[in-house]
Amino acid sequence: MSTSAVPSVLFVCVHNAGRSQMAAAFLTHLGADRVRVRSAGSAPADTVNPAVVEAMQEVGIDISAETPKVLTAEAVQASDVVITMGCGDACPYFPGKRYLDWQLDDPAGQGVAAVRPIRDEIEQRIRGLLAELGVESAR
């Protein structure tokens, strides 16, 4: 498959410590090398939410080495699809990109029990996104 045939998706939330990290991890896990994945935050936290790391570990995905990244214009420009998650006006808009806004509860300050349903909803949305992009799920 040529590089240009591989869709690129950017997940954005404010802190890049919860929802966008889970979404990026699921898309990387399920899309394998058939999709390029980025995540970033408009005001990145210092670390990924520990409850998010634990919840993802429960489904066999290790994101303990991930770190929140700052949103750049370059990341947006390099992406075919930009998915925002509750960052409102803090998320920039660039013409010519496909935008989706996923309304999801914020896992910040929540324990792993509260993160699990958010994680599961994100996984289902990622599976739907893969189908929409015409990318077969690896699992």
Side-chain angles (χ1 to χ4, degrees), residues 14 25 27 38 53 55 79 89 123:
V14 175
L27 187 56
R38 295 176 182 84
V53 173
S79 301
D89 293 339
E123 179 181 8

Side-chain angles (χ1 to χ4, degrees), residues 56 61 73-74 97 99 105 108:
M56 292 301 287
I61 301 175
E74 292 80 14
K97 298 295 171 186
Y99 284 84
D105 291 336

